[in-house]
Amino acid sequence: MMMDSGKTLPALVLRGDRDNVITKEMTEEIVEDIGENATFVELKNSGHSPLIDDVDQLLQTMTSFLQMKEELA
């Protein structure tokens, strides 16, 4: 059961551009559901498993997102 505290958190939504499991439409729906707090990044040359496909790109994307949010806080 989720409780709505009235607070919103930033969310990073990732999808590999070669993902055969999660479609682009599914990702767009997730971003729309989250709303303005969602940041979408499509990982280049990555499939469904960015930890395997390109961990460096994944870590760089996550680090940049966290640094950006930290600067805004």
Side-chain angles (χ1 to χ4, degrees):
M1 179 158 124
M2 291 179 36
M3 296 181 67
D4 183 7
S5 66
K7 295 183 180 183
T8 56
L9 297 173
L12 176 61
V13 179
L14 302 172
R15 179 183 179 275
D17 64 353
R18 297 181 179 177
D19 193 332
N20 293 323
V21 177
I22 305 298
T23 66
K24 191 167 188 167
E25 291 78 19
M26 292 166 73
T27 307
E28 290 169 351
E29 189 174 314
I30 291 167
V31 170
E32 184 178 321
D33 287 347
I34 294 171
E36 65 184 29
N37 292 319
T39 299
F40 171 68
V41 176
E42 188 167 70
L43 301 172
K44 302 297 180 206
N45 300 313
S46 182
H48 189 67
S49 300
L51 282 170
I52 295 169
D53 297 336
D54 192 344
V55 71
D56 291 333
Q57 179 182 199
L58 174 64
L59 291 174
Q60 177 59 44
T61 301
M62 293 171 63
T63 300
S64 295
F65 173 78
L66 292 171
Q67 288 174 340
M68 179 181 65
K69 295 304 174 184
E70 185 177 275
E71 291 172 5
L72 295 175

XYZ file of all heavy atoms in Angstrom:
567
model
N 0.837 -1.178 0.000
C 0.000 0.000 0.000
C 0.878 1.236 0.000
O 1.755 1.386 0.824
C -0.889 -0.026 1.236
C -1.783 1.155 1.365
S -3.153 0.722 2.417
C -3.095 1.916 3.653
N 0.661 2.148 -0.953
C 1.442 3.376 -1.039
C 0.690 4.494 -0.337
O -0.521 4.598 -0.431
C 1.691 3.758 -2.491
C 2.619 2.818 -3.191
S 2.924 3.224 -4.925
C 2.934 4.983 -4.991
N 1.453 5.295 0.375
C 0.858 6.453 1.038
C 1.341 7.701 0.329
O 2.520 7.814 -0.002
C 1.273 6.484 2.506
C 0.752 5.283 3.272
S 1.213 5.332 5.000
C 0.258 6.730 5.554
N 0.450 8.615 0.088
C 0.796 9.858 -0.576
C 1.123 10.892 0.479
O 0.250 11.381 1.176
C -0.361 10.326 -1.455
C -0.020 11.576 -2.236
O 1.153 12.008 -2.196
O -0.918 12.122 -2.889
N 2.421 11.203 0.606
C 2.851 12.178 1.600
C 2.774 13.596 1.068
O 3.055 14.546 1.778
C 4.290 11.880 2.029
O 5.166 12.077 0.925
N 2.432 13.744 -0.219
C 2.375 15.061 -0.819
C 3.726 15.537 -1.322
O 3.840 16.587 -1.918
N 4.764 14.748 -1.083
C 6.103 15.104 -1.553
C 6.390 14.361 -2.851
O 5.929 13.253 -3.063
C 7.143 14.730 -0.503
C 6.990 15.525 0.770
C 8.075 15.181 1.740
C 7.876 16.000 3.005
N 8.929 15.773 3.959
N 7.152 15.002 -3.684
C 7.527 14.374 -4.942
C 9.043 14.259 -5.013
O 9.763 15.121 -4.501
C 7.017 15.189 -6.137
O 7.512 16.527 -6.024
C 5.505 15.205 -6.184
N 9.503 13.207 -5.618
C 10.924 12.970 -5.771
C 11.277 12.909 -7.246
O 10.471 12.450 -8.055
C 11.314 11.649 -5.101
C 11.097 11.572 -3.606
C 11.372 10.154 -3.124
C 11.985 12.564 -2.882
N 12.473 13.326 -7.597
C 12.892 13.191 -8.983
C 13.085 11.718 -9.331
O 13.460 10.905 -8.485
C 14.219 13.954 -9.034
C 14.689 14.042 -7.631
C 13.485 13.955 -6.756
N 12.812 11.375 -10.571
C 12.951 9.994 -11.028
C 13.711 9.973 -12.341
O 13.421 10.754 -13.251
C 11.581 9.360 -11.208
N 14.674 9.092 -12.417
C 15.430 8.885 -13.647
C 14.874 7.641 -14.328
O 14.872 6.553 -13.747
C 16.913 8.709 -13.335
C 17.831 8.397 -14.513
C 17.792 9.524 -15.549
C 19.259 8.175 -14.010
N 14.403 7.797 -15.548
C 13.848 6.688 -16.322
C 14.827 6.406 -17.458
O 15.118 7.283 -18.268
C 12.451 7.038 -16.885
C 11.908 5.886 -17.706
C 11.499 7.423 -15.752
N 15.330 5.179 -17.480
C 16.324 4.789 -18.475
C 15.759 3.721 -19.401
O 14.973 2.874 -18.975
C 17.575 4.222 -17.789
C 18.273 5.137 -16.805
C 19.350 4.377 -16.064
C 18.851 6.336 -17.519
N 16.199 3.761 -20.636
C 15.851 2.716 -21.607
C 16.964 2.619 -22.625
O 17.456 3.626 -23.134
C 14.545 3.052 -22.330
C 14.166 2.008 -23.368
C 12.907 2.382 -24.148
N 12.623 1.362 -25.138
C 13.173 1.329 -26.353
N 14.011 2.263 -26.741
N 12.861 0.358 -27.192
N 17.390 1.401 -22.898
C 18.371 1.192 -23.949
C 17.729 1.344 -25.309
O 16.598 0.892 -25.522
N 18.422 1.977 -26.228
C 17.843 2.193 -27.559
C 17.698 0.888 -28.343
O 17.037 0.844 -29.367
C 18.623 3.237 -28.351
C 20.050 2.840 -28.683
O 20.528 1.788 -28.201
O 20.706 3.598 -29.433
N 18.286 -0.189 -27.832
C 18.150 -1.505 -28.476
C 17.380 -2.487 -27.596
O 17.488 -3.692 -27.766
C 19.536 -2.059 -28.791
C 20.298 -1.216 -29.783
C 21.630 -1.803 -30.085
N 22.334 -0.976 -31.067
C 23.548 -1.219 -31.483
N 24.215 -2.251 -31.020
N 24.107 -0.431 -32.372
N 16.608 -1.956 -26.654
C 15.844 -2.791 -25.732
C 14.694 -3.464 -26.469
O 13.861 -2.802 -27.078
C 15.299 -1.944 -24.577
C 14.769 -2.764 -23.422
O 14.317 -3.904 -23.651
O 14.812 -2.258 -22.297
N 14.650 -4.805 -26.422
C 13.580 -5.564 -27.072
C 12.505 -5.991 -26.087
O 11.566 -6.687 -26.475
C 14.153 -6.796 -27.770
C 15.034 -6.433 -28.948
O 14.742 -5.488 -29.666
N 16.114 -7.152 -29.129
N 12.643 -5.589 -24.824
C 11.674 -5.967 -23.795
C 10.758 -4.785 -23.465
O 9.541 -4.910 -23.467
C 12.381 -6.467 -22.512
C 11.380 -6.790 -21.427
C 13.272 -7.662 -22.831
N 11.353 -3.643 -23.171
C 10.607 -2.429 -22.836
C 10.544 -1.563 -24.083
O 11.568 -1.107 -24.589
C 11.280 -1.648 -21.683
C 11.469 -2.541 -20.453
C 10.497 -0.391 -21.356
C 10.195 -3.076 -19.852
N 9.347 -1.344 -24.579
C 9.192 -0.553 -25.803
C 9.292 0.944 -25.500
O 9.149 1.378 -24.356
C 7.820 -0.821 -26.457
O 6.797 -0.331 -25.576
C 7.614 -2.292 -26.748
N 9.518 1.697 -26.544
C 9.560 3.152 -26.398
C 8.208 3.672 -25.889
O 8.157 4.580 -25.063
C 9.931 3.804 -27.729
C 10.244 5.266 -27.606
C 10.903 5.793 -28.854
C 11.366 7.207 -28.602
N 12.263 7.691 -29.619
N 7.128 3.079 -26.363
C 5.795 3.493 -25.922
C 5.597 3.229 -24.432
O 4.994 4.032 -23.722
C 4.717 2.763 -26.734
C 4.636 3.183 -28.184
C 5.739 2.572 -29.061
O 6.362 1.550 -28.666
O 5.992 3.125 -30.143
N 6.097 2.098 -23.946
C 5.999 1.784 -22.519
C 6.762 2.821 -21.697
O 6.296 3.283 -20.655
C 6.536 0.377 -22.243
C 5.683 -0.719 -22.836
S 6.516 -2.339 -22.875
C 6.468 -2.784 -21.153
N 7.933 3.181 -22.175
C 8.751 4.164 -21.472
C 8.063 5.514 -21.453
O 8.046 6.195 -20.419
C 10.134 4.286 -22.141
O 10.717 2.992 -22.248
C 11.049 5.199 -21.352
N 7.492 5.923 -22.568
C 6.773 7.203 -22.629
C 5.613 7.224 -21.643
O 5.347 8.246 -21.008
C 6.285 7.457 -24.052
C 7.410 7.749 -25.022
C 6.982 7.739 -26.473
O 5.829 7.330 -26.782
O 7.813 8.107 -27.330
N 4.926 6.092 -21.503
C 3.811 5.995 -20.560
C 4.300 6.132 -19.115
O 3.668 6.812 -18.305
C 3.101 4.658 -20.754
C 1.812 4.558 -19.991
C 1.066 3.277 -20.318
O 0.954 2.929 -21.521
O 0.605 2.626 -19.368
N 5.424 5.523 -18.812
C 6.001 5.632 -17.467
C 6.356 7.084 -17.164
O 6.035 7.607 -16.100
C 7.240 4.726 -17.335
C 6.815 3.255 -17.358
C 8.033 5.051 -16.069
C 7.963 2.291 -17.542
N 7.016 7.731 -18.107
C 7.409 9.135 -17.925
C 6.172 10.010 -17.741
O 6.139 10.882 -16.868
C 8.277 9.609 -19.109
C 8.489 11.115 -19.070
C 9.614 8.870 -19.117
N 5.150 9.767 -18.531
C 3.912 10.539 -18.417
C 3.255 10.321 -17.053
O 2.772 11.261 -16.423
C 2.945 10.146 -19.536
C 1.675 10.968 -19.546
C 0.750 10.592 -20.692
O 1.257 10.336 -21.803
O -0.466 10.547 -20.463
N 3.253 9.079 -16.591
C 2.658 8.774 -15.284
C 3.405 9.458 -14.141
O 2.789 9.916 -13.186
C 2.621 7.265 -15.040
C 1.567 6.545 -15.868
O 0.691 7.230 -16.458
O 1.622 5.305 -15.950
N 4.710 9.507 -14.246
C 5.515 10.158 -13.195
C 5.303 11.665 -13.242
O 5.206 12.323 -12.214
C 7.000 9.804 -13.335
C 7.202 8.309 -13.067
C 7.859 10.651 -12.379
C 8.585 7.801 -13.375
N 5.253 12.213 -14.433
C 5.024 13.642 -14.578
C 6.301 14.451 -14.655
O 7.349 13.950 -15.068
N 6.206 15.690 -14.219
C 7.305 16.641 -14.400
C 8.565 16.275 -13.637
O 9.638 16.826 -13.911
C 6.854 18.046 -14.017
C 6.509 18.210 -12.556
C 5.982 19.594 -12.229
O 5.385 20.227 -13.115
O 6.182 20.023 -11.091
N 8.479 15.364 -12.696
C 9.666 14.958 -11.943
C 10.476 13.877 -12.645
O 11.506 13.452 -12.147
C 9.271 14.482 -10.546
C 8.764 15.628 -9.711
O 9.308 16.720 -9.740
N 7.700 15.398 -8.984
N 10.004 13.433 -13.790
C 10.696 12.384 -14.539
C 11.724 12.985 -15.480
O 11.468 13.970 -16.159
C 9.701 11.551 -15.325
N 12.882 12.361 -15.496
C 13.919 12.670 -16.473
C 14.163 11.392 -17.259
O 14.489 10.357 -16.682
C 15.224 13.114 -15.784
O 14.975 14.297 -15.021
C 16.320 13.380 -16.796
N 13.984 11.462 -18.570
C 14.173 10.284 -19.424
C 15.498 10.384 -20.149
O 15.841 11.432 -20.714
C 13.040 10.165 -20.440
C 13.301 9.110 -21.480
C 13.310 7.780 -21.133
C 13.558 9.468 -22.788
C 13.574 6.799 -22.090
C 13.812 8.503 -23.750
C 13.819 7.162 -23.388
N 16.239 9.286 -20.139
C 17.482 9.193 -20.893
C 17.476 7.867 -21.641
O 17.232 6.812 -21.050
C 18.723 9.265 -19.971
C 20.000 9.069 -20.770
C 18.770 10.585 -19.222
N 17.732 7.937 -22.941
C 17.869 6.725 -23.736
C 19.354 6.413 -23.859
O 20.135 7.243 -24.332
C 17.242 6.927 -25.117
C 17.177 5.643 -25.906
C 16.286 5.775 -27.118
O 16.681 6.482 -28.058
O 15.199 5.176 -27.096
N 19.731 5.233 -23.417
C 21.128 4.809 -23.446
C 21.465 4.287 -24.839
O 20.798 3.386 -25.352
C 21.372 3.742 -22.391
C 21.065 4.172 -20.957
C 21.148 2.979 -20.018
C 21.997 5.281 -20.510
N 22.487 4.847 -25.440
C 22.880 4.485 -26.799
C 23.566 3.118 -26.822
O 24.350 2.789 -25.925
C 23.834 5.536 -27.383
C 23.248 6.940 -27.406
C 22.038 7.019 -28.295
C 21.463 8.416 -28.300
N 20.054 8.457 -28.605
N 23.255 2.349 -27.839
C 23.851 1.033 -28.053
C 23.688 0.106 -26.856
O 24.579 -0.676 -26.541
C 25.339 1.164 -28.419
C 25.543 1.974 -29.671
O 24.860 1.758 -30.664
N 26.445 2.924 -29.623
N 22.560 0.221 -26.181
C 22.280 -0.624 -25.027
C 20.951 -1.328 -25.223
O 20.009 -0.758 -25.761
C 22.241 0.223 -23.747
O 22.007 -0.597 -22.627
N 20.898 -2.558 -24.750
C 19.654 -3.299 -24.787
C 18.944 -3.207 -23.452
O 18.959 -2.161 -22.791
N 18.380 -4.322 -23.015
C 17.598 -4.361 -21.783
C 18.479 -4.426 -20.533
O 17.994 -4.201 -19.432
C 16.643 -5.553 -21.826
C 15.658 -5.572 -20.708
N 14.660 -4.616 -20.583
C 15.508 -6.405 -19.653
C 13.942 -4.879 -19.509
N 14.436 -5.954 -18.922
N 19.761 -4.708 -20.695
C 20.661 -4.888 -19.548
C 21.862 -3.945 -19.624
O 22.972 -4.361 -19.960
C 21.149 -6.340 -19.488
O 20.064 -7.219 -19.361
N 21.660 -2.663 -19.300
C 22.780 -1.725 -19.398
C 23.939 -2.059 -18.459
O 25.070 -1.674 -18.721
C 22.165 -0.367 -19.067
C 20.897 -0.673 -18.365
C 20.438 -2.006 -18.863
N 23.676 -2.799 -17.385
C 24.770 -3.224 -16.515
C 25.743 -4.129 -17.252
O 26.930 -4.171 -16.935
C 24.237 -3.949 -15.274
C 23.681 -3.062 -14.182
C 22.970 -3.906 -13.124
C 24.781 -2.249 -13.534
N 25.236 -4.848 -18.225
C 26.071 -5.739 -19.025
C 26.518 -5.037 -20.307
O 27.676 -5.120 -20.704
C 25.311 -7.041 -19.368
C 25.018 -7.817 -18.084
C 26.088 -7.891 -20.370
C 24.057 -8.965 -18.243
N 25.593 -4.331 -20.952
C 25.864 -3.728 -22.259
C 26.860 -2.584 -22.193
O 27.740 -2.476 -23.051
C 24.563 -3.227 -22.899
C 23.592 -4.356 -23.182
O 24.043 -5.508 -23.333
O 22.385 -4.087 -23.242
N 26.718 -1.709 -21.206
C 27.595 -0.532 -21.115
C 27.490 0.082 -19.722
O 26.850 1.112 -19.524
C 27.208 0.492 -22.175
C 28.243 1.595 -22.340
O 29.111 1.766 -21.445
O 28.185 2.304 -23.361
N 28.132 -0.556 -18.769
C 28.044 -0.104 -17.382
C 28.624 1.306 -17.215
O 28.136 2.082 -16.400
C 28.680 -1.121 -16.406
C 30.205 -1.155 -16.542
C 28.267 -0.832 -14.970
N 29.639 1.650 -17.988
C 30.231 2.995 -17.869
C 29.228 4.075 -18.256
O 29.114 5.099 -17.577
C 31.491 3.112 -18.731
C 32.633 2.258 -18.202
O 32.669 1.990 -16.976
O 33.487 1.843 -19.014
N 28.497 3.858 -19.349
C 27.474 4.822 -19.772
C 26.369 4.919 -18.717
O 25.905 6.008 -18.381
C 26.875 4.418 -21.120
C 25.802 5.351 -21.601
C 25.179 4.924 -22.919
O 24.566 5.739 -23.571
N 25.297 3.675 -23.326
N 25.976 3.776 -18.168
C 24.947 3.746 -17.136
C 25.386 4.539 -15.910
O 24.647 5.400 -15.412
C 24.630 2.301 -16.747
C 23.667 2.116 -15.579
C 22.290 2.668 -15.917
C 23.603 0.654 -15.179
N 26.582 4.284 -15.421
C 27.085 4.989 -14.240
C 27.240 6.482 -14.493
O 26.925 7.298 -13.623
C 28.404 4.381 -13.773
C 28.305 2.981 -13.184
C 29.696 2.426 -12.903
C 27.456 2.975 -11.931
N 27.707 6.859 -15.670
C 27.857 8.272 -16.005
C 26.505 8.970 -16.032
O 26.343 10.077 -15.524
C 28.573 8.451 -17.351
C 28.707 9.894 -17.798
C 29.468 10.750 -16.803
O 30.493 10.341 -16.282
N 28.974 11.945 -16.522
N 25.508 8.306 -16.604
C 24.166 8.874 -16.677
C 23.580 9.054 -15.283
O 23.018 10.113 -14.964
C 23.248 7.970 -17.530
O 23.819 7.854 -18.836
C 21.849 8.536 -17.622
N 23.722 8.046 -14.450
C 23.196 8.119 -13.085
C 23.930 9.185 -12.270
O 23.297 9.953 -11.539
C 23.296 6.747 -12.422
C 22.380 5.720 -13.046
S 22.651 4.027 -12.459
C 22.245 4.201 -10.734
N 25.241 9.238 -12.403
C 26.035 10.234 -11.674
C 25.647 11.645 -12.093
O 25.458 12.524 -11.248
C 27.536 9.992 -11.910
O 27.869 8.680 -11.447
C 28.384 11.019 -11.178
N 25.502 11.873 -13.385
C 25.115 13.204 -13.882
C 23.747 13.601 -13.351
O 23.536 14.748 -12.940
C 25.097 13.227 -15.405
O 26.383 13.037 -15.915
N 22.804 12.670 -13.358
C 21.463 12.935 -12.853
C 21.516 13.318 -11.372
O 20.913 14.317 -10.954
C 20.587 11.695 -13.051
C 19.226 11.802 -12.415
C 18.219 12.540 -13.015
C 18.947 11.142 -11.232
C 16.958 12.633 -12.437
C 17.690 11.225 -10.641
C 16.698 11.974 -11.253
N 22.242 12.549 -10.579
C 22.327 12.833 -9.142
C 23.033 14.157 -8.862
O 22.611 14.916 -7.989
C 23.031 11.685 -8.420
C 22.252 10.373 -8.397
C 23.128 9.255 -7.860
C 20.969 10.514 -7.596
N 24.088 14.456 -9.614
C 24.777 15.736 -9.434
C 23.879 16.902 -9.812
O 23.859 17.914 -9.112
C 26.059 15.767 -10.266
C 27.141 14.879 -9.704
C 28.353 14.792 -10.610
O 28.294 15.076 -11.804
N 29.458 14.354 -10.041
N 23.114 16.773 -10.871
C 22.211 17.826 -11.302
C 21.167 18.075 -10.226
O 20.865 19.216 -9.884
C 21.530 17.444 -12.611
C 20.539 18.466 -13.139
S 19.739 17.960 -14.675
C 18.795 16.532 -14.140
N 20.602 17.008 -9.674
C 19.583 17.151 -8.648
C 20.165 17.721 -7.350
O 19.510 18.488 -6.663
C 18.874 15.818 -8.383
C 18.087 15.313 -9.577
C 17.077 16.350 -10.048
C 16.372 15.957 -11.306
N 15.465 16.969 -11.812
N 21.397 17.357 -7.051
C 22.055 17.878 -5.855
C 22.284 19.380 -5.979
O 22.103 20.129 -5.020
C 23.391 17.156 -5.642
C 24.096 17.546 -4.371
C 25.365 16.754 -4.166
O 25.280 15.650 -3.631
O 26.435 17.267 -4.589
N 22.656 19.832 -7.163
C 22.889 21.256 -7.397
C 21.603 22.060 -7.268
O 21.625 23.225 -6.872
C 23.520 21.466 -8.790
C 24.937 20.956 -8.883
C 25.482 20.992 -10.303
O 24.789 21.512 -11.206
O 26.594 20.490 -10.504
N 20.480 21.454 -7.607
C 19.200 22.154 -7.537
C 18.640 22.192 -6.127
O 17.756 22.997 -5.824
C 18.184 21.482 -8.468
C 18.491 21.545 -9.960
C 17.466 20.747 -10.751
C 18.535 22.990 -10.442
N 19.145 21.292 -5.260
C 18.607 21.212 -3.877
C 19.068 22.363 -3.020
O 19.946 23.070 -3.231
C 19.037 19.887 -3.254
